Amino acid sequence: MITEYIAHVKKDEAGGSQAPHKLEDHLNGVAELAARFAADFNSEELARLAALWHDLGKYSGEFQQKIRRETGYDVDAHIEGAPGRVDHSTAGAIHAINKFGDHGRILAYLIAGHHAGLPDWYSADSGGKALSARLDQPELLDRALKQSVPQDLLTQDKPTFSVAGGGKGFALWVRMLFSCLVDADFLDTEAFMDESRAIARQGYPTLKEMLPTFNLHMEDKAVKAEQTPVNSIRADVLRQCREQAASAPGIFSLTVPTGGGKTLSSLAFALEHAIKHGKNRIIYAIPYTSIIEQTADVFRDVFKSLPDAVIEHHSNLDPNEETSKSRLAAENWDAPLIVTTNVQLFESLFAARTSRCRKLHNLVNSVVVLDEAQLIPPEFLQPILDTLNLLAAHYRVTFVFSTATQPALNTVKDTFGRTTRRGLNSVHEIIAKVNELYADLERVEVTLPADLNQPGNWDELAKEIAQHDSALAIVNTRKDCRELHQKMPEGTLHLSALMCGEHRSSVIAEIKQRLKDGIPTRVISTQLVEAGVDLDFPVVYRALGGLDSIAQAAGRCNREGKLGDGEAKGKVVVFVPPKPAPRGLLRFGEDSTKDVLHDRPSNPLERSLFNRYFDLFLSKPNLDKYGIADLLKVGSKGEVQFRTAADKFRLIDDRETQSVFVRYNKESDDLINLLKSAGPERWLMRKLQRYSVTLYRHDFNRLLKNSDIAEIHPGMYAQVSTSLYDKKTGLLLAYTTAIDPASLLV
């Protein structure tokens, strides 16, 4: 007869006798945490109930026998889908429906999914057993109820609740509740299994503590800044951001030309707004890793006196920048300032997996800055906008859309009055006189080709670029980058996604230092440098593409306004490459630009042109290409296809690509060899991310067939041929493939 019910077991310090985590203690501990998390959006009763019943199946004799048989310390006890488990999550889901009928289905999603992830209601092709089928197993509850389950645990009052956002907000609300449950489950388990990790999560500086440090940094920066027109404008942008921080929470746009100081000014707004309105944290979401590393470095410099104030969370993170505390904070974003990627943010908002969902409840009552907002992927734009509206209206999230080229994210109707795009609700601009600001910061002259439809050739373009001591040329594809670079004089630098992250970071640092030292510098690059990377060239060439891309490229030209006597302007030359952009979003952008510039305006970057450009551009792709909104519509009895929606919401479709570890330097060689001999470990894989290149499947398959790469561990591939990686241009492919900008969103 079982007299003590156990949730988890760990060994004592000597590794001998084992200490049990009592099941009732675990259920109550998780319930207390989950309810506290969900109180932020008035759903604590449901979160508490889900937590009390989430491990009801652990009362079964089968589970209790198994845990006694397999005792030992397992810090990863809650990794999803571990093999050989007794199903202990379905019992609580069935009990919830038995007690509360259709309302119990809400709890059933949470409880049944707390290990394997939120399920679909109906059977689908995305993997995982549908909830409707799992609930048709009453024997799983019967096994638990044969034991001495406390009656006060089983008998609970029917919860009162209201769905945040109503029917349209049901799916997000359930994911928020799910986040509260799974994070509470992880944390309570961790507190018992590894107290040192639980302690390490504590002690972050508060936003109130961070603001004086920020202010001192900005004061020191102002004292040291040269008295230039550009710096005067940046100071005014900062002032306006501080003043507008007192505004009521909601959705804001920060429209400032490149080089206008958006990064630190947006942080000033976020800090002061968060403190004024009692927000919990600030989250920066950034599209490209080349920008995220730069932004995180800027923030770390600001808060260098406050350890662990800045948490960087993305797959290409330099492990040397990580601490044990930052790794823990990246699991659930329980830190004051998070710098992450669009991929991490948006995919988490539509996720089903427990590891991805843990952080969601920490978005509640936060400030989210979307840097380079024009790069939100159009094919997922509608479900993203719908969700951002819900977060702002029902979860007290303040959004700041920060960019030099503000996308048109308003509601659009056709001639019959039908809504073709559901836009953002009530966006407030932070800058008072945007047009005047753009006029004041106009530092370049843009030259268009004589004929926007007449292709040029690389030889002539290379000769023209070579006439300049320092120039940056930005092209649309990796193949174009390689071909143009080959035509350039010796010493020209190359940047593309065929270079691993460590290589790209090194080259960007070299470019910045050369420009700072006044050394002639020519660079051929893909789009990875044009949004937010602080480069300042006197001349920039840009392949015909999206008008926003041309404007972003112009932001790398005369950035500081220091040419000549300060009155001279930089030179931006738009050229037509030999071949048009590949079909898809790049081609949409190119075609929309041709339409907008057809009349050859005197200033191709005039702000009034951008609304027309974005309306054209966003009218071409399907803004919900994969039907996410329909999958997340709630049926009459709470039916939602959570897992299928999550599977389809992939900003980077890794089914079409494969990462390969490359041999860039001795460290990469050593790491690859260690992976081959010892297998993967978390620290090792984090380091190897810096030495990975993402390939399309057909390029990958060709290299594999030619034995240029090999599988060194199941599902992990690395360079074999020593001649495959070039120290100047990266991974060598006989025929490089055009790559969509989204593939850079690592």
Side-chain angles (χ1 to χ4, degrees), residues 257-299:
T258 52
K262 288 190 300 297
T263 299
L264 289 174
S265 293
S266 63
L267 180 57
F269 174 92
L271 278 169
E272 298 207 14
H273 183 83
I275 293 168
K276 169 74 175 177
H277 298 287
K279 302 294 185 186
N280 297 332
R281 60 187 46 81
I282 298 167
I283 298 162
Y284 266 76
I286 300 173
Y288 297 143
T289 54
S290 54
I291 313 173
I292 194 175
E293 292 166 354
Q294 175 182 278
T295 301
D297 286 343
V298 169
F299 291 169

Side-chain angles (χ1 to χ4, degrees), residues 406-424:
Q406 205 65 244
L409 300 180
N410 54 302
T411 296
V412 175
K413 296 186 177 183
D414 63 18
T415 54
F416 300 100
R418 296 172 299 196
T419 299
T420 57
R421 180 172 75 224
R422 299 182 297 278
L424 294 174

Side-chain angles (χ1 to χ4, degrees), residues 685-702:
M685 301 312 297
R686 292 290 278 176
K687 281 184 172 289
L688 277 169
Q689 281 294 331
R690 298 287 293 170
Y691 299 105
S692 68
V693 170
T694 299
L695 300 177
Y696 272 120
R697 281 287 170 187
H698 58 269
D699 285 327
F700 167 80
N701 290 336
R702 179 168 48 79

Side-chain angles (χ1 to χ4, degrees), residues 603-619:
N603 179 6
L605 300 183
E606 169 65 39
R607 277 200 71 238
S608 61
L609 298 174
F610 282 92
N611 278 341
R612 183 180 164 204
Y613 166 77
F614 279 115
D615 280 338
L616 281 169
F617 176 65
L618 294 177
S619 69

Side-chain angles (χ1 to χ4, degrees), residues 492-526:
T492 301
L493 299 174
H494 172 282
L495 275 170
S496 85
L498 284 173
M499 300 155 66
C500 65
E502 186 72 16
H503 191 177
R504 296 198 305 267
S505 295
S506 175
V507 172
I508 289 173
E510 180 184 356
I511 294 169
K512 290 181 177 181
Q513 191 61 50
R514 287 171 65 99
L515 292 172
K516 181 179 179 181
D517 295 340
I519 300 172
T521 304
R522 302 187 188 97
V523 179
I524 310 299
S525 176
T526 59

Side-chain angles (χ1 to χ4, degrees), residues 668-725:
S668 62
D669 288 343
D670 292 343
L671 293 172
I672 289 171
N673 293 337
L674 183 59
L675 174 62
K676 186 175 182 180
S677 61
E681 292 187 36
R682 188 182 187 281
W683 71 267
L684 176 59
M685 301 312 297
R686 292 290 278 176
K687 281 184 172 289
L688 277 169
Q689 281 294 331
R690 298 287 293 170
Y691 299 105
S692 68
V693 170
T694 299
L695 300 177
Y696 272 120
R697 281 287 170 187
H698 58 269
D699 285 327
F700 167 80
N701 290 336
R702 179 168 48 79
L703 293 179
L704 188 64
K705 181 179 180 181
N706 294 341
S707 300
D708 290 320
I709 57 176
E711 189 174 30
I712 59 172
H713 189 81
M716 300 177 189
Y717 298 83
Q719 172 187 344
V720 174
S721 170
T722 56
S723 61
L724 190 65
Y725 197 90

Side-chain angles (χ1 to χ4, degrees), residues 161-180:
F161 62 89
S162 60
V163 178
K168 292 180 179 178
F170 181 81
L172 177 62
W173 178 68
V174 170
R175 280 197 298 274
M176 281 291 185
L177 282 165
F178 184 65
S179 173
C180 295

Side-chain angles (χ1 to χ4, degrees), residues 9 74 167 191 199 214 275 296 298 356 363 479 518 571 607 734:
V9 179
D74 179 10
I199 292 172
F214 175 80
I275 293 168
V298 169
R356 271 288 174 90
L363 287 171
K479 181 179 180 182
K571 182 180 181 182
R607 277 200 71 238

